[in-house]
Amino acid sequence: MALSKLEKRIRIKRRVRGKISGSADLPRLSVYKSNKEIYAQLIDDKDGKTLASASSREKGVDANGTKSEVSAAVGKAIAAKAIAAGIETIVFDRNGFVYHGRVKALADGAREGGLKF
């Protein structure tokens, strides 16, 4: 029996997470997207803490336009919060999603905001 779309994503996620992890100096930028919204978190895996987060549901994020435009705005918002927290370099975790479309737009928005991957 073939794997479902979710099962495939979880397998990819496990494979990727085996290779990357975040720390206080170099946190992991984790991305999650649903059909309507997109979320981003900066995570310190060693302490198990979320350092900053942003989503398309927040009031400070401009949620007008296409989903890709909203994703870019979320990327800029997480970059601004990271810079305010003194974080400039990160490790990008696409969370099993294909690096295309909204995930790529969020990454590009974070780069525009000043984060280095």
Side-chain angles (χ1 to χ4, degrees):
M1 189 164 96
L3 296 174
S4 71
K5 192 173 187 180
L6 178 63
E7 290 169 333
K8 282 187 212 175
R9 188 180 73 80
I10 290 173
R11 275 196 182 181
I12 294 168
K13 177 181 175 176
R14 285 189 188 135
R15 186 172 62 236
V16 171
R17 287 283 292 119
K19 298 173 186 173
I20 65 169
S21 71
S23 64
D25 300 332
L26 192 69
R28 174 172 58 96
L29 176 61
S30 179
V31 175
Y32 177 76
K33 65 175 186 153
S34 67
N35 287 338
K36 287 179 141 184
E37 312 290 344
I38 191 156
Y39 307 88
Q41 289 183 327
L42 286 174
I43 301 169
D44 176 6
D45 288 315
K46 293 187 177 160
D47 291 336
K49 292 184 179 178
T50 299
L51 306 174
S53 66
S55 75
S56 56
R57 300 186 69 168
E58 290 180 356
K59 291 184 181 177
V61 175
D62 184 25
N64 296 328
T66 65
K67 290 180 184 179
S68 293
E69 291 169 354
V70 172
S71 298
V74 170
K76 289 177 186 173
I78 193 71
K81 289 181 181 182
I83 301 282
I87 300 166
E88 292 183 3
T89 57
I90 59 157
V91 176
F92 189 73
D93 177 14
R94 59 190 175 90
N95 218 357
F97 296 106
V98 177
Y99 188 78
H100 183 267
R102 292 195 285 159
V103 175
K104 185 176 186 297
L106 189 140
D108 291 341
R111 283 189 186 102
E112 285 178 29
L115 289 180
K116 295 180 183 88
F117 296 32

